[in-house]
Structures are given as C-alpha cells and as structure tokens.
Coordinates of all heavy atoms in Angstrom, one line a residue:
V1 N -18.4 -56.7 27.4 CA -18.0 -57.2 28.7 C -16.8 -56.4 29.2 O -16.7 -56.0 30.4 CB -17.5 -58.7 28.5 CG1 -16.9 -59.2 29.7 CG2 -18.8 -59.6 28.1
T2 N -15.9 -56.0 28.3 CA -14.8 -55.1 28.6 C -15.3 -53.7 29.1 O -14.8 -53.3 30.1 CB -13.9 -54.9 27.4 OG1 -13.4 -56.1 26.9 CG2 -12.7 -54.0 27.8
A3 N -16.3 -53.2 28.5 CA -16.9 -51.9 28.9 C -17.5 -52.1 30.3 O -17.4 -51.2 31.2 CB -18.0 -51.5 27.9
G4 N -18.1 -53.2 30.6 CA -18.7 -53.4 31.9 C -17.6 -53.5 33.0 O -17.8 -52.9 34.1
G5 N -16.5 -54.1 32.7 CA -15.4 -54.1 33.7 C -14.8 -52.8 33.8 O -14.3 -52.4 35.0
L6 N -14.7 -52.0 32.8 CA -14.2 -50.6 32.9 C -15.0 -49.7 33.7 O -14.6 -48.9 34.5 CB -13.9 -50.0 31.5 CG -13.4 -48.6 31.4 CD1 -12.4 -48.5 30.3 CD2 -14.5 -47.6 31.2
L7 N -16.4 -49.9 33.5 CA -17.3 -48.9 34.1 C -17.5 -49.3 35.7 O -17.8 -48.4 36.5 CB -18.7 -49.0 33.5 CG -18.7 -48.3 32.1 CD1 -20.0 -48.6 31.4 CD2 -18.4 -46.8 32.2
A8 N -17.4 -50.5 36.0 CA -17.7 -51.0 37.4 C -17.0 -50.1 38.5 O -17.6 -49.5 39.3 CB -17.4 -52.4 37.6
P9 N -15.6 -49.9 38.4 CA -14.9 -49.0 39.4 C -15.2 -47.6 39.1 O -15.3 -46.8 40.1 CB -13.5 -49.3 39.1 CG -13.4 -50.7 38.4 CD -14.7 -50.6 37.6
L10 N -15.5 -47.1 37.9 CA -15.7 -45.7 37.7 C -17.1 -45.3 38.2 O -17.3 -44.2 38.6 CB -15.8 -45.4 36.1 CG -14.3 -45.6 35.5 CD1 -14.5 -45.4 34.0 CD2 -13.4 -44.5 36.1
F11 N -18.1 -46.3 38.2 CA -19.4 -45.9 38.8 C -19.1 -45.5 40.3 O -19.9 -44.6 40.8 CB -20.3 -47.1 38.7 CG -20.9 -47.3 37.4 CD1 -21.2 -48.6 36.9 CD2 -21.3 -46.2 36.6 CE1 -21.7 -48.8 35.6 CE2 -21.8 -46.4 35.4 CZ -22.1 -47.7 34.9
I12 N -18.3 -46.2 41.0 CA -18.1 -45.9 42.4 C -17.5 -44.5 42.6 O -17.9 -43.7 43.4 CB -17.1 -46.9 43.1 CG1 -17.8 -48.3 43.1 CG2 -16.8 -46.5 44.5 CD1 -16.9 -49.4 43.6
A13 N -16.6 -44.1 41.6 CA -16.0 -42.7 41.7 C -17.1 -41.7 41.5 O -17.1 -40.7 42.1 CB -14.9 -42.6 40.7
M14 N -18.0 -42.0 40.5 CA -19.1 -41.1 40.2 C -20.0 -41.0 41.4 O -20.4 -39.9 41.8 CB -19.9 -41.6 39.0 CG -19.2 -41.7 37.7 SD -20.3 -42.4 36.4 CE -19.0 -42.8 35.2
D15 N -20.3 -42.1 42.1 CA -21.1 -42.1 43.3 C -20.6 -41.2 44.4 O -21.2 -40.4 45.0 CB -21.4 -43.5 43.8 CG -22.1 -44.4 42.8 OD1 -22.8 -43.9 42.0 OD2 -21.9 -45.6 42.8
L16 N -19.2 -41.4 44.6 CA -18.6 -40.6 45.7 C -18.7 -39.2 45.4 O -18.9 -38.3 46.4 CB -17.2 -41.1 45.9 CG -17.0 -42.5 46.4 CD1 -15.6 -43.0 46.4 CD2 -17.7 -42.7 47.8
F17 N -18.5 -38.7 44.2 CA -18.5 -37.4 43.8 C -19.9 -36.8 43.9 O -20.1 -35.7 44.3 CB -17.9 -37.1 42.4 CG -17.5 -35.7 42.1 CD1 -16.3 -35.2 42.6 CD2 -18.3 -34.9 41.5 CE1 -15.9 -33.9 42.4 CE2 -18.0 -33.5 41.3 CZ -16.8 -33.1 41.7
A18 N -20.9 -37.6 43.4 CA -22.3 -37.2 43.4 C -22.8 -37.0 44.8 O -23.7 -36.1 45.0 CB -23.1 -38.2 42.7
L19 N -22.2 -37.7 45.8 CA -22.7 -37.5 47.2 C -22.5 -36.1 47.7 O -23.0 -35.7 48.7 CB -22.0 -38.5 48.1 CG -22.6 -40.0 48.0 CD1 -21.7 -40.9 48.8 CD2 -24.0 -40.1 48.3
R20 N -21.5 -35.4 47.0 CA -21.4 -33.9 47.4 C -22.7 -33.1 47.2 O -22.9 -32.1 47.8 CB -20.2 -33.3 46.7 CG -18.9 -34.0 46.9 CD -17.8 -33.3 46.0 NE -17.8 -31.8 46.3 CZ -17.0 -31.0 45.6 NH1 -16.3 -31.4 44.6 NH2 -17.0 -29.7 45.9
Y21 N -23.5 -33.5 46.2 CA -24.6 -32.8 45.8 C -25.9 -33.5 46.3 O -26.8 -32.8 46.7 CB -24.6 -32.7 44.3 CG -23.4 -32.1 43.7 CD1 -22.4 -32.9 43.0 CD2 -23.1 -30.7 43.8 CE1 -21.3 -32.4 42.5 CE2 -21.9 -30.2 43.4 CZ -21.0 -31.0 42.7 OH -19.8 -30.4 42.3
W22 N -26.0 -34.8 46.1 CA -27.2 -35.5 46.5 C -27.0 -36.0 47.9 O -26.7 -37.2 48.2 CB -27.5 -36.6 45.6 CG -27.8 -36.1 44.2 CD1 -27.1 -36.5 43.1 CD2 -28.7 -35.1 43.7 NE1 -27.5 -35.7 41.9 CE2 -28.5 -34.9 42.4 CE3 -29.6 -34.3 44.4 CZ2 -29.2 -34.0 41.6 CZ3 -30.4 -33.4 43.7 CH2 -30.2 -33.2 42.4
K23 N -27.1 -35.1 48.9 CA -26.8 -35.5 50.3 C -28.0 -36.2 50.9 O -29.0 -36.4 50.3 CB -26.5 -34.2 51.1 CG -25.2 -33.4 50.7 CD -25.1 -32.2 51.5 CE -23.7 -31.5 51.1 NZ -23.6 -31.1 49.8
S24 N -27.8 -36.6 52.2 CA -28.8 -37.5 52.9 C -30.2 -36.7 53.0 O -31.2 -37.5 53.0 CB -28.4 -37.8 54.3 OG -28.1 -36.7 55.1
S25 N -30.2 -35.4 53.0 CA -31.4 -34.8 52.9 C -32.3 -35.0 51.8 O -33.5 -34.6 51.7 CB -31.2 -33.2 53.2 OG -30.4 -32.7 52.1
T26 N -31.7 -35.5 50.7 CA -32.5 -35.7 49.4 C -32.8 -37.2 49.3 O -33.3 -37.6 48.2 CB -31.6 -35.3 48.2 OG1 -30.5 -36.1 48.1 CG2 -31.2 -33.8 48.3
W27 N -32.6 -38.0 50.3 CA -32.9 -39.4 50.2 C -34.4 -39.7 50.7 O -34.7 -39.2 51.8 CB -31.9 -40.3 51.0 CG -30.5 -40.1 50.5 CD1 -30.1 -39.5 49.4 CD2 -29.4 -40.5 51.3 NE1 -28.7 -39.4 49.4 CE2 -28.2 -40.0 50.6 CE3 -29.2 -41.1 52.6 CZ2 -26.9 -40.3 51.1 CZ3 -27.9 -41.3 53.0 CH2 -26.8 -40.9 52.3

C-alpha cells in the first residue's frame, strides 16, 4: 500500500518525461 502511494505521483512524472519520445504521431 505504501509502495502504491509512493508510485502514484512518480508515474505522472514518468509520463510527462516519456511524452518527449512517444509523441502524438505514435498514438
């Protein structure tokens, strides 16, 4: 449960950074 709470905000940071590479042309 603690791990889930820790990861939830970090996932958003990963997503924002990943959008640099997986742009709209890849959707």
Side-chain angles (χ1 to χ4, degrees):
V1 175
T2 302
L6 179 140
L7 287 173
L10 290 176
F11 283 145
I12 295 178
M14 294 177 198
D15 295 335
L16 293 175
F17 198 83
L19 287 176
R20 296 182 57 188
Y21 306 106
W22 303 121
K23 297 179 171 62
S24 60
S25 59
T26 65
W27 307 343

